[in-house]
Amino acid sequence: MGIADVRRFNRTVTQRIGALSDTYMARDRPLGQARVLWEIGPDGCDVRSLRSRLDLDSGYLSRLLRTLESDGLVEVEQSGDDGRVRTARLTARGLAERTVLDRRSDELAASILEPLSESQRTRLITAMGEVERLLTASTVTVGIVDPRHQDAQYCLQSYFEELADRFDGGFDHARSISAGVDELTPPSGLLLVATLHSAPVGCGALKFPANSPAEVKRMWVSPEVRGLGLGRRLLAELEKQAVAHGSAVLRLETNRSLTEAIALYRATGYTEVPAFNTEPYAHHWFEKHLTS
C-alpha cells in the first residue's frame, strides 16, 4: 500500500534536484561526494559521526573520502591519541569548493520556487517540512537493548534528569519503585532503545513481576525528536512485547506534571484505575487489556 506513490515521489525528487547526474551542480563530482563535503563543514568532522549522520557503509564512506583526498579537497587525520578516531577536514580548495556548492544549492532552491505562485510556494515549503519530519520518523529504529549498554544508560540518565527538572520537588530514582538493570533484563523484563542515525533518542521498558500484570517503566523521548510519534511507537512496541511474553494486561503509573504522557496513555486506550502500588511520585495509575 502506497509503495508506488513513494517510488514516484522518489523519481520526481531525484530528477528535479539533479541527483541523476555524475556532475552534481555542474561540478566534476556526483551528489554523494558533494554531500560529504557539505557535512564535513568548515570545522571538520569525526569520521564515525560523519558515517552515522549520513547512514553510510564504512567502506563506501572511506572510498568517498579517498577520492576527495586525491582531489586535494579533504585531509583525514588521526584525532588525538586514539588511533581509532579520525577527523576529516576540508583543505583550502575544499572550502572553496564547498562555497561554490553552497551558492549553487541556493540557486537550485530558488529555481524550484521561482515558477510557483506565492500560495504554491507556501504549500510546497509546508509539505516539505512535513515530509522531512515523516522521513526522519521512518529512520528511527527501535530494538531491545541490554540496559547496561551505553545507549541504554544515556537514555535512562536523560530520563532521570528530565523528571528531576519537571517534578515538583525534583526526582530521586532511589526513592522510586525500582526498575534496575536486572529487572529490565530478560526474563525479568526488557528495555527498548530508539536510535536515530545511531544516536539514542528514546527508551521504554517492561517489568514482568510474578503473578501480576506487566508494567511499563522508563518511557522517555528526547526533546529533539518529539512530535514524530516516537512515544506512541515505543508504547505500541512495548504492548507487542508484553503480549509475546504472555501478558494480558499492561499497567503503568505517572506523575501529574507529565501531561503529554497522560494524554498519550488516554489516547491509546489506557483507563485510569485506583492506585495499585505505592509509587511516591505517581498521581495517576493506568491499565490496558491487551489483545493478541
Side-chain angles (χ1 to χ4, degrees):
M1 179 179 178
I3 298 298
D5 299 294
V6 172
R7 293 184 59 185
R8 183 170 58 251
F9 175 82
N10 290 345
R11 290 194 297 271
T12 300
V13 170
T14 53
Q15 181 176 348
R16 186 64 182 89
I17 67 172
L20 303 181
S21 173
D22 285 338
T23 56
Y24 185 66
M25 298 289 180
R27 309 304 288 170
D28 293 331
R29 59 191 49 81
L31 175 59
Q33 293 179 24
R35 181 61 188 276
V36 170
L37 279 175
W38 172 262
E39 292 293 340
I40 290 172
D43 299 324
C45 183
D46 177 278
V47 172
R48 285 187 293 191
S49 298
L50 192 64
R51 182 172 66 244
S52 174
R53 191 185 309 161
L54 294 174
D55 287 329
L56 292 178
D57 171 81
S58 59
Y60 179 57
L61 177 59
S62 293
R63 291 193 294 275
L64 287 174
L65 289 172
R66 282 198 297 270
T67 299
L68 293 171
E69 281 188 288
S70 66
D71 289 344
L73 303 175
V74 169
E75 293 177 343
V76 180
E77 56 193 21
Q78 181 178 319
S79 181
D81 297 327
D82 190 345
R84 298 170 299 177
V85 179
R86 298 183 302 147
T87 299
R89 300 188 187 281
L90 300 182
T91 63
R93 284 183 59 192
L95 288 167
E97 178 67 11
R98 189 178 187 274
T99 298
V100 173
L101 289 170
D102 193 24
R103 185 182 71 251
R104 294 192 178 181
S105 294
D106 283 347
E107 292 169 354
L108 174 60
S111 75
I112 292 172
L113 294 173
E114 193 276 331
L116 305 178
S117 68
E118 192 63 36
S119 64
Q120 287 177 318
R121 293 176 189 176
T122 299
R123 287 167 52 201
L124 178 59
I125 292 170
T126 300
M128 284 177 166
E130 181 67 6
V131 169
E132 181 182 8
R133 286 189 293 274
L134 292 173
L135 288 177
T136 300
S138 75
T139 305
V140 175
T141 60
V142 176
I144 298 174
V145 172
D146 188 322
R148 301 163 187 81
H149 188 276
Q150 63 180 6
D151 287 351
Q153 288 295 306
Y154 170 83
C155 289
L156 293 173
Q157 186 58 41
S158 297
Y159 167 81
F160 295 145
E161 290 173 359
E162 179 160 350
L163 296 193
D165 287 340
R166 296 185 63 175
F167 286 6
D168 295 335
F171 175 76
D172 178 2
H173 73 271
R175 290 187 58 224
S176 180
I177 292 176
S178 67
V181 293
D182 291 337
E183 295 171 286
L184 303 184
T185 302
S188 299
L190 59 86
L191 179 71
L192 299 178
V193 170
T195 57
L196 175 62
H197 305 310
S198 302
V201 293
C203 65
L206 289 176
K207 285 175 59 175
F208 300 121
N211 304 315
S212 296
E215 300 175 5
V216 174
K217 295 290 184 183
R218 308 308 193 225
M219 279 282 292
W220 174 77
V221 174
S222 172
E224 68 183 69
V225 295
R226 288 177 190 171
L228 299 182
L230 182 53
R232 186 180 290 259
R233 180 178 169 188
L234 281 166
L235 189 58
E237 184 59 33
L238 289 172
E239 291 173 3
K240 290 180 185 178
Q241 292 291 336
V243 169
H245 284 77
S247 298
V249 177
L250 195 53
R251 285 178 171 175
L252 59 91
E253 72 279 340
T254 192
N255 185 279
R256 63 189 169 205
S257 68
L258 302 180
T259 54
E260 310 95 322
I262 293 170
L264 170 63
Y265 301 141
R266 287 177 172 156
T268 51
Y270 286 80
T271 302
E272 193 153 2
V273 297
F276 49 76
N277 61 25
T278 58
E279 170 57 57
Y281 294 104
H283 301 100
H284 301 274
W285 288 258
F286 292 92
E287 71 175 27
K288 181 178 181 178
H289 291 264
L290 306 174
T291 56
S292 58

